[in-house]
Amino acid sequence: MKEKNPWKTPVTIIITVIGVIVIVALVTVAVLQNKPLLQKYKYGIVLDAGSSHTALYIYKWPAEKDNNTGRAEQTHVCKVKGGGISSYAADPSKAGESLRACIGDAERMENSTASDRVFQAVKETLESSPFSYQGARILSGQEEGAFGWVTVNYLDDRLKQGLETTGALDLGGASTQISFVSDNFDGSESLMNSVTFRLYGNDYNLYTHSFLCYGKDQAQRLALAHQTQSGLEKILDPCFNPGYNRIQNYSVLYDSPCVSNRKPQTAPTSFQLTGTGNYRECQKIVRSIFNFTTCKYSRCSFNGVFQPPVQGGFGAFSAYYFVMDFLNLTDTSMPLETVKEKLTSYCSTPWDQIKQQHQRVKEKYLAEYCFSGTYILTLLTEGYNFTSESYSKIKFIKKIKGSDAGWTLGYMLNLTNMIPAEAPDTPLLPHAGYVSIVTIMAILLFILFILSLRPVWPHCSKLPQVV
Ligand SMILES: Nc1nc2c(ncn2[C@@H]2O[C@H](COP(=O)(O)OP(=O)(O)OP(=O)(O)O)[C@@H](O)[C@H]2O)c(=O)[nH]1
Ligand SMILES: [Ca+2]
């Protein structure tokens, strides 16, 4: 006689069907209810009105993950045509006008309505008057340095991971900043150079200093002022290529707070500047704009400013990058001696030849590279005391992961509280992981359930036998 197969009873079939329905329902709920929300973005716009230029930066970050896993990134940059904001002092309304091209340019971006609304708001505010915009303020040099440091380390993901940080070197037109974390600095020796941050649960004590008048353009004025103290009509300048010639107006040269008090009493209207192209001689002039002798602290960089020894890696941007990139000197594994040799060779190249070789480069920039290269090397090695070893830890950078290196991103992150003081909670289970776990658990539960319905095990040995 054949025993009835217990797996084919109506009850078992019903239970199996219900079980399958339950699994499907569970998995469906898991998939639908925990579907990631449609990614929404937030936008931030920062206008950087520097001494030599104005630029508009747009940043974007996932709205749901402001200070957790999402990273803000630069989506757009627009350089405003014309000079820096101070060049509009005589006609302020033109400053507002100069921004319009950038805003119009940004509006044309194929982007969501969210950005359109942001732009509308910016446009309305900025259009009314250049000074009615509530969000505009002058950044202190210290903030400029500190936010540059935040940008560099944020983009490198060093803050979130609590890694050793990178210092920041910014060379502008009017001022220059140095910021780094030092084991030998707790702020006690010079409080005004100290900035503290608590980011992602880590405390940072940053050394930072901003040297006003030591940006590339003002440093050049200081150097020229040094050479024109006796009010001469002709100047032989080793910081310009041989054969370079230009007529320079005395009033224009001294029309800056960095040099205005040094204008010679008796001077002609203008002087003739002729390049002689000599790196060593140029360096002597550049050295003369620094004061290395006075220091009331345990150690100083220059002009009596306290500075601990430089420590760790550094990111050098803005004019550091423009100049070193043009001179093919961004590779810092090159020994300092070789860097100097290359600069010596560049400085001594006749002006005609330089112009011939770089026909597309703006003549103003081209003429300045010998001075700028010499200034950068002197500032780094004699000003900040980088040695050949620490120099090799500098990286000349323009962008990090698509975003420009500079203070603007750090400033926006701070303004929008996007970097939390404490470490964020460990990320929740990702969606795919959640679905997989629910599915596996449902199947296992079902198997367990079916097994519990099976005839008891000893039965198995007594399977129906054919007699
Ligand atoms: N060679 C070269 N120089 C540039 C270029 N763009 C800007 N500069 C110069 O580099 C210097 C620094 O530029 P920025 O960082 O824009 O300076 P800034 O923000 O206006 O100046 P600060 O107000 O002092 O911060 C200035 O002297 C600029 O004239 C470029 O593409 N090539
Ligand atoms: Ca700047």
Side-chain angles (χ1 to χ4, degrees):
M1 185 190 144
K2 216 174 173 187
E3 210 172 280
K4 202 175 175 187
N5 185 348
W7 294 98
K8 284 190 178 167
T9 64
V11 175
T12 324
I13 292 170
I14 290 170
I15 287 173
T16 313
V17 171
I18 291 175
V20 170
I21 292 172
V22 167
I23 289 183
V24 171
L26 256 176
V27 173
T28 312
V29 168
V31 173
L32 293 183
Q33 286 303 304
N34 293 283
K35 202 167 63 178
L37 297 171
L38 203 69
Q39 192 71 277
K40 285 182 185 152
Y41 290 97
K42 284 186 182 172
Y43 295 86
I45 298 178
V46 184
L47 277 157
D48 171 3
S51 67
S52 70
H53 84 301
T54 299
L56 177 147
Y57 296 89
I58 301 169
Y59 300 103
K60 163 182 165 178
W61 63 96
E64 306 297 322
K65 302 176 178 176
D66 285 10
N67 46 26
N68 197 347
T69 48
R71 190 192 314 110
E73 57 184 45
Q74 182 180 312
T75 59
H76 189 74
V77 58
C78 176
K79 309 271 177 207
V80 176
K81 287 216 172 71
I85 203 97
S86 55
S87 61
Y88 296 101
D91 191 354
S93 64
K94 290 240 166 64
E97 272 168 39
S98 71
L99 295 174
R100 274 195 200 133
C102 266
I103 290 165
D105 181 21
E107 275 178 338
R108 280 192 291 279
M109 288 192 318
E110 17 75 71
N111 219 319
S112 70
T113 50
S115 65
D116 290 346
R117 265 184 272 125
V118 171
F119 282 119
Q120 191 56 33
V122 172
K123 191 175 168 185
E124 278 166 16
T125 330
L126 287 177
E127 266 182 1
S128 51
S129 141
F131 300 113
S132 77
Y133 184 45
Q134 300 297 302
R137 70 180 182 93
I138 295 173
L139 232 61
S140 69
Q142 208 187 34
E143 287 175 302
E144 209 170 336
F147 291 141
W149 177 88
V150 170
T151 302
V152 168
N153 288 284
Y154 172 82
L155 289 173
D156 263 352
D157 285 331
R158 288 174 182 274
L159 303 176
K160 206 185 290 173
Q161 296 178 22
L163 300 175
E164 190 171 312
T165 57
T166 305
L169 294 162
D170 184 347
L171 180 58
S175 62
T176 189
Q177 291 79 32
I178 177 167
S179 316
F180 60 99
V181 167
S182 160
D183 296 337
N184 305 313
F185 181 65
D186 59 4
S188 56
E189 197 168 354
S190 172
L191 204 58
M192 63 186 174
N193 294 118
S194 161
V195 174
T196 50
F197 287 115
R198 184 167 175 83
L199 310 167
Y200 298 109
N202 298 307
D203 286 314
Y204 297 96
N205 198 344
L206 193 64
Y207 166 84
T208 182
H209 191 82
S210 177
F211 290 91
L212 193 58
C213 299
Y214 285 81
K216 170 168 99 53
D217 303 334
Q218 295 304 324
Q220 189 154 36
R221 278 187 202 246
L222 290 174
L224 274 173
H226 175 81
Q227 295 175 87
T228 53
Q229 280 307 288
S230 34
L232 299 169
E233 278 185 3
K234 279 179 195 278
I235 302 287
L236 293 177
D237 193 330
C239 299
F240 288 87
N241 299 91
Y244 177 83
N245 255 299
R246 85 166 186 236
I247 304 290
Q248 170 81 55
N249 187 296
Y250 264 101
S251 303
V252 173
L253 171 63
Y254 283 91
D255 181 22
S256 150
C258 295
V259 288
S260 54
N261 60 347
R262 298 188 208 177
K263 192 174 177 189
Q265 296 283 315
T266 49
T269 329
S270 55
F271 62 91
Q272 188 182 20
L273 187 150
T274 303
T276 57
N278 184 318
Y279 168 74
R280 276 184 166 278
E281 291 301 314
C282 176
Q283 200 180 30
K284 280 186 195 159
I285 292 167
V286 169
R287 271 189 198 126
S288 74
I289 71 169
F290 297 99
N291 177 348
F292 295 118
T293 48
T294 47
C295 181
K296 62 173 185 170
Y297 301 101
S298 59
R299 53 198 309 149
C300 286
S301 46
F302 57 93
N303 296 4
V305 172
F306 168 75
Q307 187 203 292
V310 289
Q311 183 182 314
F314 277 81
F317 43 88
S318 316
Y320 280 115
Y321 178 83
F322 302 139
V323 173
M324 298 307 256
D325 179 55
F326 173 85
L327 295 168
N328 280 327
L329 296 175
T330 51
D331 173 12
T332 44
S333 65
M334 198 188 286
L336 265 175
E337 277 314 307
T338 318
V339 175
K340 285 177 190 164
E341 278 162 24
K342 292 203 172 207
L343 202 50
T344 306
S345 152
Y346 179 82
C347 286
S348 64
T349 310
W351 177 237
D352 278 350
Q353 199 177 318
I354 297 276
K355 267 202 307 191
Q356 191 66 34
Q357 285 167 353
H358 306 278
Q359 292 179 5
R360 284 164 176 225
V361 182
K362 271 194 207 168
E363 202 168 303
K364 179 191 171 302
Y365 289 150
L366 207 52
E368 289 173 359
Y369 284 124
C370 169
F371 169 82
S372 304
T374 311
Y375 177 60
I376 286 175
L377 275 196
T378 312
L379 175 64
L380 292 176
T381 58
E382 297 180 34
Y384 299 147
N385 297 313
F386 276 92
T387 59
S388 25
E389 206 234 315
S390 51
Y391 177 82
S392 66
K393 293 186 188 148
I394 299 176
K395 275 192 186 141
F396 293 101
I397 47 169
K398 183 174 166 60
K399 287 178 181 252
I400 305 169
K401 297 180 185 162
S403 300
D404 282 68
W407 61 264
T408 52
L409 176 57
Y411 175 76
M412 190 199 67
L413 296 172
N414 180 63
L415 203 67
T416 53
N417 288 323
M418 272 175 55
I419 303 186
E422 299 307 326
D425 295 333
T426 41
L428 298 169
L429 200 59
H431 180 245
Y434 181 84
V435 171
S436 320
I437 289 179
V438 170
T439 311
I440 292 168
M441 295 305 269
I443 293 171
L444 284 178
L445 256 177
F446 182 65
I447 293 173
L448 212 69
F449 185 58
I450 295 296
L451 286 178
S452 71
L453 285 177
R454 278 193 54 189
V456 267
W457 289 110
H459 231 86
C460 296
S461 54
K462 293 180 189 158
L463 280 174
Q465 287 170 13
V466 182
V467 185

